[in-house]
Amino acid sequence: QYRPEIDGLRALAVFVVVAFHAGLGMPGGYIGVDVFFVISGYLITGIILRAQSSAAFSLTEFWERRIRRIFPALTVTVAATLALGCYVLLPAELEELGKSSIAQALLLSNVFFLRDTGYFVGPAELKPLLHSWSLAVEEQFYLCFPLLLVAFRNQSRTRQFGVMLVLAVVSFIASAYGVLIFSGAAFFLLPARAWELLVGCLLAAMPWKLESRPRCDGAVAAAGLLAIFLPAFFYDSQTPFPGIAAFPPVVGTAA
């Protein structure tokens, strides 16, 4: 079943991220990545739970579908970037680009850029594959999270929901604390970002059904959009992020 509102959220996320990098008056537009994380967690959990309910879930098939969805476009992007880099980059910069492309192939782009530079440091803006860090976080999540659902496949939906909730709370605490003591790791690494994906997972795994109330639904949706747009306009590179600052756009996306 096609979900136009999810495509709408994707478009919104792309818009604020591009506006951030283009300097178009959204200094906090990097929160678009957090919007994507929630969407990913929601969709992936729904896919797995539906397959498990019909006894048709296969880990290898799940991972194969992720590879088929992500890798063709990613391969073209990296290949085109490397080809262009041969013409426009200095040798040292081209070497760094090669290293970052290898890191992406190993699903470790986020670790590479954590060790190499910060997200808001001037030279980082000139690294062509910097944006691939968020894809690496998602790929790492796709490897780990299905194993959790397989381990708890015979448990009730309520218990599955409870396990996800505990993990989300632990990850959120790690994110909030990590921003204070090691902001780079909190920004780039999965343990401090997992709660954002898990919010989407919780939405898909709720053991109860929410009743639709048109007036209430509209108000919740409007509040959610506001929680995304306000940080995009008022956050900047000095905002401690993710941590508590990531809470409004993440919950807003869920809303």
mmCIF file with all atom_site columns, all heavy atoms in Angstrom, residues 87-107:
data_model
loop_
_atom_site.group_PDB
_atom_site.id
_atom_site.type_symbol
_atom_site.label_atom_id
_atom_site.label_alt_id
_atom_site.label_comp_id
_atom_site.label_asym_id
_atom_site.label_entity_id
_atom_site.label_seq_id
_atom_site.pdbx_PDB_ins_code
_atom_site.Cartn_x
_atom_site.Cartn_y
_atom_site.Cartn_z
_atom_site.occupancy
_atom_site.B_iso_or_equiv
_atom_site.pdbx_formal_charge
_atom_site.auth_seq_id
_atom_site.auth_comp_id
_atom_site.auth_asym_id
_atom_site.auth_atom_id
_atom_site.pdbx_PDB_model_num
ATOM 1   N N   . TYR A 1 87  ? 39.943 14.274 -11.777 1.00 0.00 ? 87  TYR A N   1
ATOM 2   C CA  . TYR A 1 87  ? 40.175 15.472 -12.569 1.00 0.00 ? 87  TYR A CA  1
ATOM 3   C C   . TYR A 1 87  ? 40.258 16.738 -11.727 1.00 0.00 ? 87  TYR A C   1
ATOM 4   O O   . TYR A 1 87  ? 40.941 17.694 -12.116 1.00 0.00 ? 87  TYR A O   1
ATOM 5   C CB  . TYR A 1 87  ? 39.067 15.641 -13.618 1.00 0.00 ? 87  TYR A CB  1
ATOM 6   C CG  . TYR A 1 87  ? 39.146 14.647 -14.741 1.00 0.00 ? 87  TYR A CG  1
ATOM 7   C CD1 . TYR A 1 87  ? 38.401 13.481 -14.708 1.00 0.00 ? 87  TYR A CD1 1
ATOM 8   C CD2 . TYR A 1 87  ? 39.975 14.860 -15.846 1.00 0.00 ? 87  TYR A CD2 1
ATOM 9   C CE1 . TYR A 1 87  ? 38.475 12.551 -15.738 1.00 0.00 ? 87  TYR A CE1 1
ATOM 10  C CE2 . TYR A 1 87  ? 40.063 13.946 -16.879 1.00 0.00 ? 87  TYR A CE2 1
ATOM 11  C CZ  . TYR A 1 87  ? 39.303 12.792 -16.820 1.00 0.00 ? 87  TYR A CZ  1
ATOM 12  O OH  . TYR A 1 87  ? 39.383 11.876 -17.838 1.00 0.00 ? 87  TYR A OH  1
ATOM 13  N N   . VAL A 1 88  ? 39.563 16.785 -10.602 1.00 0.00 ? 88  VAL A N   1
ATOM 14  C CA  . VAL A 1 88  ? 39.455 18.057 -9.881  1.00 0.00 ? 88  VAL A CA  1
ATOM 15  C C   . VAL A 1 88  ? 40.153 18.071 -8.529  1.00 0.00 ? 88  VAL A C   1
ATOM 16  O O   . VAL A 1 88  ? 40.300 19.143 -7.938  1.00 0.00 ? 88  VAL A O   1
ATOM 17  C CB  . VAL A 1 88  ? 37.968 18.456 -9.684  1.00 0.00 ? 88  VAL A CB  1
ATOM 18  C CG1 . VAL A 1 88  ? 37.256 18.560 -11.013 1.00 0.00 ? 88  VAL A CG1 1
ATOM 19  C CG2 . VAL A 1 88  ? 37.254 17.462 -8.775  1.00 0.00 ? 88  VAL A CG2 1
ATOM 20  N N   . LEU A 1 89  ? 40.598 16.929 -8.027  1.00 0.00 ? 89  LEU A N   1
ATOM 21  C CA  . LEU A 1 89  ? 41.217 16.889 -6.704  1.00 0.00 ? 89  LEU A CA  1
ATOM 22  C C   . LEU A 1 89  ? 42.730 16.804 -6.795  1.00 0.00 ? 89  LEU A C   1
ATOM 23  O O   . LEU A 1 89  ? 43.280 16.221 -7.737  1.00 0.00 ? 89  LEU A O   1
ATOM 24  C CB  . LEU A 1 89  ? 40.697 15.687 -5.904  1.00 0.00 ? 89  LEU A CB  1
ATOM 25  C CG  . LEU A 1 89  ? 39.205 15.676 -5.563  1.00 0.00 ? 89  LEU A CG  1
ATOM 26  C CD1 . LEU A 1 89  ? 38.853 14.414 -4.775  1.00 0.00 ? 89  LEU A CD1 1
ATOM 27  C CD2 . LEU A 1 89  ? 38.804 16.918 -4.773  1.00 0.00 ? 89  LEU A CD2 1
ATOM 28  N N   . LEU A 1 90  ? 43.375 17.373 -5.802  1.00 0.00 ? 90  LEU A N   1
ATOM 29  C CA  . LEU A 1 90  ? 44.817 17.213 -5.671  1.00 0.00 ? 90  LEU A CA  1
ATOM 30  C C   . LEU A 1 90  ? 45.122 15.790 -5.211  1.00 0.00 ? 90  LEU A C   1
ATOM 31  O O   . LEU A 1 90  ? 44.254 15.107 -4.657  1.00 0.00 ? 90  LEU A O   1
ATOM 32  C CB  . LEU A 1 90  ? 45.364 18.224 -4.664  1.00 0.00 ? 90  LEU A CB  1
ATOM 33  C CG  . LEU A 1 90  ? 45.217 19.702 -5.062  1.00 0.00 ? 90  LEU A CG  1
ATOM 34  C CD1 . LEU A 1 90  ? 45.633 20.609 -3.913  1.00 0.00 ? 90  LEU A CD1 1
ATOM 35  C CD2 . LEU A 1 90  ? 46.039 19.998 -6.307  1.00 0.00 ? 90  LEU A CD2 1
ATOM 36  N N   . PRO A 1 91  ? 46.338 15.309 -5.403  1.00 0.00 ? 91  PRO A N   1
ATOM 37  C CA  . PRO A 1 91  ? 46.655 13.907 -5.064  1.00 0.00 ? 91  PRO A CA  1
ATOM 38  C C   . PRO A 1 91  ? 46.295 13.509 -3.641  1.00 0.00 ? 91  PRO A C   1
ATOM 39  O O   . PRO A 1 91  ? 45.727 12.432 -3.423  1.00 0.00 ? 91  PRO A O   1
ATOM 40  C CB  . PRO A 1 91  ? 48.173 13.838 -5.303  1.00 0.00 ? 91  PRO A CB  1
ATOM 41  C CG  . PRO A 1 91  ? 48.415 14.846 -6.373  1.00 0.00 ? 91  PRO A CG  1
ATOM 42  C CD  . PRO A 1 91  ? 47.464 15.968 -6.089  1.00 0.00 ? 91  PRO A CD  1
ATOM 43  N N   . ALA A 1 92  ? 46.605 14.346 -2.664  1.00 0.00 ? 92  ALA A N   1
ATOM 44  C CA  . ALA A 1 92  ? 46.306 14.002 -1.269  1.00 0.00 ? 92  ALA A CA  1
ATOM 45  C C   . ALA A 1 92  ? 44.795 13.919 -1.043  1.00 0.00 ? 92  ALA A C   1
ATOM 46  O O   . ALA A 1 92  ? 44.308 13.030 -0.328  1.00 0.00 ? 92  ALA A O   1
ATOM 47  C CB  . ALA A 1 92  ? 46.917 15.036 -0.325  1.00 0.00 ? 92  ALA A CB  1
ATOM 48  N N   . GLU A 1 93  ? 44.047 14.831 -1.660  1.00 0.00 ? 93  GLU A N   1
ATOM 49  C CA  . GLU A 1 93  ? 42.588 14.808 -1.532  1.00 0.00 ? 93  GLU A CA  1
ATOM 50  C C   . GLU A 1 93  ? 41.997 13.579 -2.215  1.00 0.00 ? 93  GLU A C   1
ATOM 51  O O   . GLU A 1 93  ? 41.043 12.974 -1.716  1.00 0.00 ? 93  GLU A O   1
ATOM 52  C CB  . GLU A 1 93  ? 41.995 16.084 -2.139  1.00 0.00 ? 93  GLU A CB  1
ATOM 53  C CG  . GLU A 1 93  ? 42.412 17.361 -1.417  1.00 0.00 ? 93  GLU A CG  1
ATOM 54  C CD  . GLU A 1 93  ? 42.021 18.606 -2.194  1.00 0.00 ? 93  GLU A CD  1
ATOM 55  O OE1 . GLU A 1 93  ? 41.843 18.496 -3.435  1.00 0.00 ? 93  GLU A OE1 1
ATOM 56  O OE2 . GLU A 1 93  ? 41.890 19.673 -1.581  1.00 0.00 ? 93  GLU A OE2 1
ATOM 57  N N   . LEU A 1 94  ? 42.575 13.218 -3.360  1.00 0.00 ? 94  LEU A N   1
ATOM 58  C CA  . LEU A 1 94  ? 42.097 12.038 -4.080  1.00 0.00 ? 94  LEU A CA  1
ATOM 59  C C   . LEU A 1 94  ? 42.361 10.770 -3.270  1.00 0.00 ? 94  LEU A C   1
ATOM 60  O O   . LEU A 1 94  ? 41.537 9.846  -3.251  1.00 0.00 ? 94  LEU A O   1
ATOM 61  C CB  . LEU A 1 94  ? 42.778 11.942 -5.447  1.00 0.00 ? 94  LEU A CB  1
ATOM 62  C CG  . LEU A 1 94  ? 42.309 10.803 -6.360  1.00 0.00 ? 94  LEU A CG  1
ATOM 63  C CD1 . LEU A 1 94  ? 40.822 10.906 -6.648  1.00 0.00 ? 94  LEU A CD1 1
ATOM 64  C CD2 . LEU A 1 94  ? 43.103 10.806 -7.666  1.00 0.00 ? 94  LEU A CD2 1
ATOM 65  N N   . GLU A 1 95  ? 43.482 10.738 -2.587  1.00 0.00 ? 95  GLU A N   1
ATOM 66  C CA  . GLU A 1 95  ? 43.788 9.584  -1.725  1.00 0.00 ? 95  GLU A CA  1
ATOM 67  C C   . GLU A 1 95  ? 42.759 9.467  -0.603  1.00 0.00 ? 95  GLU A C   1
ATOM 68  O O   . GLU A 1 95  ? 42.291 8.371  -0.274  1.00 0.00 ? 95  GLU A O   1
ATOM 69  C CB  . GLU A 1 95  ? 45.193 9.724  -1.150  1.00 0.00 ? 95  GLU A CB  1
ATOM 70  C CG  . GLU A 1 95  ? 45.609 8.545  -0.267  1.00 0.00 ? 95  GLU A CG  1
ATOM 71  C CD  . GLU A 1 95  ? 47.012 8.711  0.295   1.00 0.00 ? 95  GLU A CD  1
ATOM 72  O OE1 . GLU A 1 95  ? 47.710 9.670  -0.077  1.00 0.00 ? 95  GLU A OE1 1
ATOM 73  O OE2 . GLU A 1 95  ? 47.393 7.862  1.133   1.00 0.00 ? 95  GLU A OE2 1
ATOM 74  N N   . GLU A 1 96  ? 42.409 10.609 -0.008  1.00 0.00 ? 96  GLU A N   1
ATOM 75  C CA  . GLU A 1 96  ? 41.393 10.604 1.044   1.00 0.00 ? 96  GLU A CA  1
ATOM 76  C C   . GLU A 1 96  ? 40.038 10.146 0.506   1.00 0.00 ? 96  GLU A C   1
ATOM 77  O O   . GLU A 1 96  ? 39.311 9.409  1.169   1.00 0.00 ? 96  GLU A O   1
ATOM 78  C CB  . GLU A 1 96  ? 41.262 12.001 1.654   1.00 0.00 ? 96  GLU A CB  1
ATOM 79  C CG  . GLU A 1 96  ? 42.387 12.375 2.593   1.00 0.00 ? 96  GLU A CG  1
ATOM 80  C CD  . GLU A 1 96  ? 42.433 11.467 3.809   1.00 0.00 ? 96  GLU A CD  1
ATOM 81  O OE1 . GLU A 1 96  ? 41.430 11.388 4.545   1.00 0.00 ? 96  GLU A OE1 1
ATOM 82  O OE2 . GLU A 1 96  ? 43.468 10.808 4.015   1.00 0.00 ? 96  GLU A OE2 1
ATOM 83  N N   . LEU A 1 97  ? 39.706 10.576 -0.700  1.00 0.00 ? 97  LEU A N   1
ATOM 84  C CA  . LEU A 1 97  ? 38.462 10.142 -1.320  1.00 0.00 ? 97  LEU A CA  1
ATOM 85  C C   . LEU A 1 97  ? 38.468 8.636  -1.531  1.00 0.00 ? 97  LEU A C   1
ATOM 86  O O   . LEU A 1 97  ? 37.453 7.966  -1.299  1.00 0.00 ? 97  LEU A O   1
ATOM 87  C CB  . LEU A 1 97  ? 38.262 10.867 -2.654  1.00 0.00 ? 97  LEU A CB  1
ATOM 88  C CG  . LEU A 1 97  ? 37.038 10.448 -3.476  1.00 0.00 ? 97  LEU A CG  1
ATOM 89  C CD1 . LEU A 1 97  ? 35.743 10.683 -2.696  1.00 0.00 ? 97  LEU A CD1 1
ATOM 90  C CD2 . LEU A 1 97  ? 36.995 11.212 -4.804  1.00 0.00 ? 97  LEU A CD2 1
ATOM 91  N N   . GLY A 1 98  ? 39.599 8.098  -1.968  1.00 0.00 ? 98  GLY A N   1
ATOM 92  C CA  . GLY A 1 98  ? 39.705 6.653  -2.141  1.00 0.00 ? 98  GLY A CA  1
ATOM 93  C C   . GLY A 1 98  ? 39.507 5.910  -0.832  1.00 0.00 ? 98  GLY A C   1
ATOM 94  O O   . GLY A 1 98  ? 38.802 4.890  -0.778  1.00 0.00 ? 98  GLY A O   1
ATOM 95  N N   . LYS A 1 99  ? 40.100 6.427  0.238   1.00 0.00 ? 99  LYS A N   1
ATOM 96  C CA  . LYS A 1 99  ? 39.941 5.792  1.550   1.00 0.00 ? 99  LYS A CA  1
ATOM 97  C C   . LYS A 1 99  ? 38.481 5.827  2.008   1.00 0.00 ? 99  LYS A C   1
ATOM 98  O O   . LYS A 1 99  ? 37.963 4.849  2.554   1.00 0.00 ? 99  LYS A O   1
ATOM 99  C CB  . LYS A 1 99  ? 40.822 6.505  2.578   1.00 0.00 ? 99  LYS A CB  1
ATOM 100 C CG  . LYS A 1 99  ? 42.312 6.270  2.385   1.00 0.00 ? 99  LYS A CG  1
ATOM 101 C CD  . LYS A 1 99  ? 43.116 7.060  3.424   1.00 0.00 ? 99  LYS A CD  1
ATOM 102 C CE  . LYS A 1 99  ? 44.610 6.841  3.238   1.00 0.00 ? 99  LYS A CE  1
ATOM 103 N NZ  . LYS A 1 99  ? 45.410 7.645  4.214   1.00 0.00 ? 99  LYS A NZ  1
ATOM 104 N N   . SER A 1 100 ? 37.815 6.954  1.782   1.00 0.00 ? 100 SER A N   1
ATOM 105 C CA  . SER A 1 100 ? 36.416 7.058  2.217   1.00 0.00 ? 100 SER A CA  1
ATOM 106 C C   . SER A 1 100 ? 35.514 6.145  1.399   1.00 0.00 ? 100 SER A C   1
ATOM 107 O O   . SER A 1 100 ? 34.531 5.604  1.919   1.00 0.00 ? 100 SER A O   1
ATOM 108 C CB  . SER A 1 100 ? 35.937 8.510  2.123   1.00 0.00 ? 100 SER A CB  1
ATOM 109 O OG  . SER A 1 100 ? 35.918 8.967  0.781   1.00 0.00 ? 100 SER A OG  1
ATOM 110 N N   . SER A 1 101 ? 35.846 5.934  0.117   1.00 0.00 ? 101 SER A N   1
ATOM 111 C CA  . SER A 1 101 ? 35.039 5.015  -0.700  1.00 0.00 ? 101 SER A CA  1
ATOM 112 C C   . SER A 1 101 ? 35.229 3.575  -0.251  1.00 0.00 ? 101 SER A C   1
ATOM 113 O O   . SER A 1 101 ? 34.280 2.784  -0.261  1.00 0.00 ? 101 SER A O   1
ATOM 114 C CB  . SER A 1 101 ? 35.398 5.179  -2.181  1.00 0.00 ? 101 SER A CB  1
ATOM 115 O OG  . SER A 1 101 ? 36.733 4.771  -2.431  1.00 0.00 ? 101 SER A OG  1
ATOM 116 N N   . ILE A 1 102 ? 36.439 3.225  0.169   1.00 0.00 ? 102 ILE A N   1
ATOM 117 C CA  . ILE A 1 102 ? 36.679 1.886  0.714   1.00 0.00 ? 102 ILE A CA  1
ATOM 118 C C   . ILE A 1 102 ? 35.921 1.705  2.021   1.00 0.00 ? 102 ILE A C   1
ATOM 119 O O   . ILE A 1 102 ? 35.296 0.667  2.265   1.00 0.00 ? 102 ILE A O   1
ATOM 120 C CB  . ILE A 1 102 ? 38.189 1.654  0.925   1.00 0.00 ? 102 ILE A CB  1
ATOM 121 C CG1 . ILE A 1 102 ? 38.912 1.592  -0.423  1.00 0.00 ? 102 ILE A CG1 1
ATOM 122 C CG2 . ILE A 1 102 ? 38.441 0.367  1.706   1.00 0.00 ? 102 ILE A CG2 1
ATOM 123 C CD1 . ILE A 1 102 ? 40.425 1.572  -0.304  1.00 0.00 ? 102 ILE A CD1 1
ATOM 124 N N   . ALA A 1 103 ? 35.946 2.729  2.859   1.00 0.00 ? 103 ALA A N   1
ATOM 125 C CA  . ALA A 1 103 ? 35.219 2.664  4.136   1.00 0.00 ? 103 ALA A CA  1
ATOM 126 C C   . ALA A 1 103 ? 33.731 2.472  3.895   1.00 0.00 ? 103 ALA A C   1
ATOM 127 O O   . ALA A 1 103 ? 33.077 1.701  4.606   1.00 0.00 ? 103 ALA A O   1
ATOM 128 C CB  . ALA A 1 103 ? 35.469 3.944  4.939   1.00 0.00 ? 103 ALA A CB  1
ATOM 129 N N   . GLN A 1 104 ? 33.172 3.151  2.884   1.00 0.00 ? 104 GLN A N   1
ATOM 130 C CA  . GLN A 1 104 ? 31.751 2.985  2.579   1.00 0.00 ? 104 GLN A CA  1
ATOM 131 C C   . GLN A 1 104 ? 31.466 1.567  2.114   1.00 0.00 ? 104 GLN A C   1
ATOM 132 O O   . GLN A 1 104 ? 30.454 0.971  2.486   1.00 0.00 ? 104 GLN A O   1
ATOM 133 C CB  . GLN A 1 104 ? 31.332 3.990  1.517   1.00 0.00 ? 104 GLN A CB  1
ATOM 134 C CG  . GLN A 1 104 ? 29.906 3.835  1.032   1.00 0.00 ? 104 GLN A CG  1
ATOM 135 C CD  . GLN A 1 104 ? 28.916 3.855  2.175   1.00 0.00 ? 104 GLN A CD  1
ATOM 136 O OE1 . GLN A 1 104 ? 28.847 4.814  2.926   1.00 0.00 ? 104 GLN A OE1 1
ATOM 137 N NE2 . GLN A 1 104 ? 28.134 2.794  2.331   1.00 0.00 ? 104 GLN A NE2 1
ATOM 138 N N   . ALA A 1 105 ? 32.364 0.994  1.302   1.00 0.00 ? 105 ALA A N   1
ATOM 139 C CA  . ALA A 1 105 ? 32.165 -0.377 0.832   1.00 0.00 ? 105 ALA A CA  1
ATOM 140 C C   . ALA A 1 105 ? 32.169 -1.372 1.988   1.00 0.00 ? 105 ALA A C   1
ATOM 141 O O   . ALA A 1 105 ? 31.522 -2.424 1.919   1.00 0.00 ? 105 ALA A O   1
ATOM 142 C CB  . ALA A 1 105 ? 33.254 -0.741 -0.173  1.00 0.00 ? 105 ALA A CB  1
ATOM 143 N N   . LEU A 1 106 ? 32.879 -1.036 3.062   1.00 0.00 ? 106 LEU A N   1
ATOM 144 C CA  . LEU A 1 106 ? 32.949 -1.897 4.244   1.00 0.00 ? 106 LEU A CA  1
ATOM 145 C C   . LEU A 1 106 ? 31.880 -1.541 5.279   1.00 0.00 ? 106 LEU A C   1
ATOM 146 O O   . LEU A 1 106 ? 31.899 -2.062 6.394   1.00 0.00 ? 106 LEU A O   1
ATOM 147 C CB  . LEU A 1 106 ? 34.337 -1.787 4.880   1.00 0.00 ? 106 LEU A CB  1
ATOM 148 C CG  . LEU A 1 106 ? 35.516 -2.254 4.024   1.00 0.00 ? 106 LEU A CG  1
ATOM 149 C CD1 . LEU A 1 106 ? 36.845 -1.941 4.714   1.00 0.00 ? 106 LEU A CD1 1
ATOM 150 C CD2 . LEU A 1 106 ? 35.412 -3.744 3.730   1.00 0.00 ? 106 LEU A CD2 1
ATOM 151 N N   . LEU A 1 107 ? 30.952 -0.663 4.916   1.00 0.00 ? 107 LEU A N   1
ATOM 152 C CA  . LEU A 1 107 ? 29.877 -0.193 5.801   1.00 0.00 ? 107 LEU A CA  1
ATOM 153 C C   . LEU A 1 107 ? 30.428 0.547  7.019   1.00 0.00 ? 107 LEU A C   1
ATOM 154 O O   . LEU A 1 107 ? 29.812 0.541  8.093   1.00 0.00 ? 107 LEU A O   1
ATOM 155 C CB  . LEU A 1 107 ? 28.994 -1.368 6.263   1.00 0.00 ? 107 LEU A CB  1
ATOM 156 C CG  . LEU A 1 107 ? 28.518 -2.356 5.201   1.00 0.00 ? 107 LEU A CG  1
ATOM 157 C CD1 . LEU A 1 107 ? 27.553 -3.370 5.823   1.00 0.00 ? 107 LEU A CD1 1
ATOM 158 C CD2 . LEU A 1 107 ? 27.852 -1.637 4.040   1.00 0.00 ? 107 LEU A CD2 1
#
